[in-house]
């Protein structure tokens, strides 16, 4: 095993990002990296590179063990990959594209697409929830008298440990009836604006090629 140069370290970090994207375990990662380097990489060098990358992951450091950590770390990995590509003139790095390795892709692509399918499912649920909330807003808006005043408001949830208060915006209608002020909750969306269609949301959140692979 040879000592890694700074150029080698950058390349190894790029290869580690491949391993994380395709969910390789330690043994698989070491074999993949050693193959690409044309020399066996030590566990110490591997973990040193991973440690340096983890130190730069500000989101994971700020939100350890958070349910958001995995999602934000995916964004960090994209940024880290771009940083490596933009800061190196190494031909190995500039020409690297894991998808050009058919043996690797055929062996591990199922792991990658499992995440993609899960993302599609999460997005479908999100689309359904948003449309349900918009339908509720539309129904409530139709039930109020004409001339009612629509107000956007933020409210406190009442939980003493909530650091997100105030919540919102929420929309309420106000009007007077028999001299008394009436108030009704409309929903989370401004009913005076055009309601989004489900297809619009799918275009934003679901890549077309993922829809066809389910």
């Amino acid at each position: 095993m040879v000592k890694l140069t700074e150029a080698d370290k950058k390349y190894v970090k790029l290869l580690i990002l491949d391993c994380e994207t395709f969910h390789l375990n330690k043994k698989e990662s070491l074999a993949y990296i050693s193959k690409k380097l044309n020399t066996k990489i030590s566990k110490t060098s591997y973990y040193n590179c991973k440690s340096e990358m983890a130190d730069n992951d500000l989101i994971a450091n700020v939100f350890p063990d958070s349910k958001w950590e995995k999602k934000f770390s995916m964004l960090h990995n994209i940024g880290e990959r771009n940083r490596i590509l933009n800061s190196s003139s190494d031909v190995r790095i500039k020409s690297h594209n894991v998808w050009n390795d058919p043996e690797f892709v055929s062996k591990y692509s199922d792991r990658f697409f499992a995440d993609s399918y899960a993302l599609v499912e999460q997005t479908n649920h999100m689309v359904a929830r948003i449309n349900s909330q918009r339908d509720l807003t539309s129904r409530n808006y139709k039930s109020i008298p004409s001339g009612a005043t629509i107000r956007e408001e933020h409210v406190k949830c009442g939980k003493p440990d909530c650091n997100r208060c105030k919540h919102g915006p929420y929309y309420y209608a106000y009007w007077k009836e028999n001299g008394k002020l009436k108030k009704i909750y409309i929903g989370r969306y401004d009913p005076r604006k055009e309601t989004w269609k489900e297809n619009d949301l799918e275009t934003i959140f679901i890549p077309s090629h993922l829809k066809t692979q389910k």
Side-chain angles (χ1 to χ4, degrees):
M1 300 180 188
V2 297
K3 184 177 180 180
L4 296 179
T5 65
E6 288 303 314
D8 286 337
K9 285 183 180 179
K10 283 189 176 182
Y11 187 40
V12 168
K13 290 177 181 178
L14 188 62
L15 297 174
I16 288 174
L17 291 173
D18 291 342
C19 297
E20 292 183 349
T21 300
F22 285 81
H23 304 291
L24 272 64
N25 60 34
K26 180 184 69 176
K27 182 178 179 181
E28 293 166 335
S29 297
L30 288 170
Y32 169 68
I33 295 169
S34 296
K35 177 184 176 183
K36 290 295 184 182
L37 278 177
N38 291 319
T39 184
K40 192 172 183 179
I41 182 175
S42 69
K43 293 180 182 178
T44 300
S45 295
Y46 169 73
Y47 282 117
N48 284 343
C49 288
K50 283 182 69 72
S51 178
E52 290 178 12
M53 294 168 70
D55 289 341
N56 290 330
D57 193 344
L58 298 179
I59 298 297
N61 291 330
V62 173
F63 300 105
D65 302 321
S66 164
K67 66 178 181 179
W68 299 105
E69 180 183 347
K70 182 178 179 180
K71 295 179 181 179
F72 281 124
S73 290
M74 291 171 62
L75 296 177
H76 165 77
N77 287 350
I78 293 173
E80 184 73 5
R81 186 183 296 276
N82 289 334
R83 188 187 66 79
I84 294 172
L85 291 172
N86 293 332
S87 65
S88 176
S89 57
D90 191 323
V91 175
R92 295 173 300 178
I93 292 176
K94 290 297 184 182
S95 61
H96 179 73
N97 185 342
V98 66
W99 294 98
N100 290 335
D101 186 338
E103 180 181 352
F104 178 90
V105 172
S106 64
K107 189 173 183 179
Y108 300 115
S109 60
D110 286 349
R111 304 184 192 181
F112 173 84
F113 284 113
D115 274 358
S116 299
Y117 299 151
L119 177 60
V120 170
E121 289 302 319
Q122 292 172 7
T123 304
N124 284 335
H125 288 306
M126 180 179 63
V127 168
R129 185 171 67 252
I130 290 175
N131 282 324
S132 176
Q133 292 171 347
R134 289 187 175 277
D135 288 342
L136 174 64
T137 296
S138 180
R139 291 195 302 271
N140 288 344
Y141 184 54
K142 290 176 182 178
S143 69
I144 67 175
S146 60
T149 299
I150 308 298
R151 288 183 54 185
E152 176 186 298
E153 300 180 11
H154 289 73
V155 298
K156 291 185 177 181
C157 64
K159 297 178 181 178
D161 58 344
C162 180
N163 58 6
R164 295 178 54 216
C165 278
K166 297 179 177 180
H167 301 274
Y170 302 103
Y171 292 87
Y172 295 85
Y174 291 85
W175 73 94
K176 282 191 174 182
E177 188 175 299
N178 298 326
K180 293 184 178 180
L181 183 64
K182 298 286 186 178
K183 174 184 177 181
I184 187 173
Y185 172 70
I186 298 177
R188 297 182 61 91
Y189 299 95
D190 189 340
R192 295 161 296 186
K193 295 182 180 179
E194 183 179 357
T195 301
W196 291 0
K197 297 179 181 178
E198 181 177 346
N199 289 340
D200 296 333
L201 292 169
E202 287 184 347
T203 300
I204 295 172
F205 293 111
I206 307 177
S208 59
H209 70 281
L210 293 183
K211 295 180 190 178
T212 59
Q213 290 178 2
K214 287 190 67 178

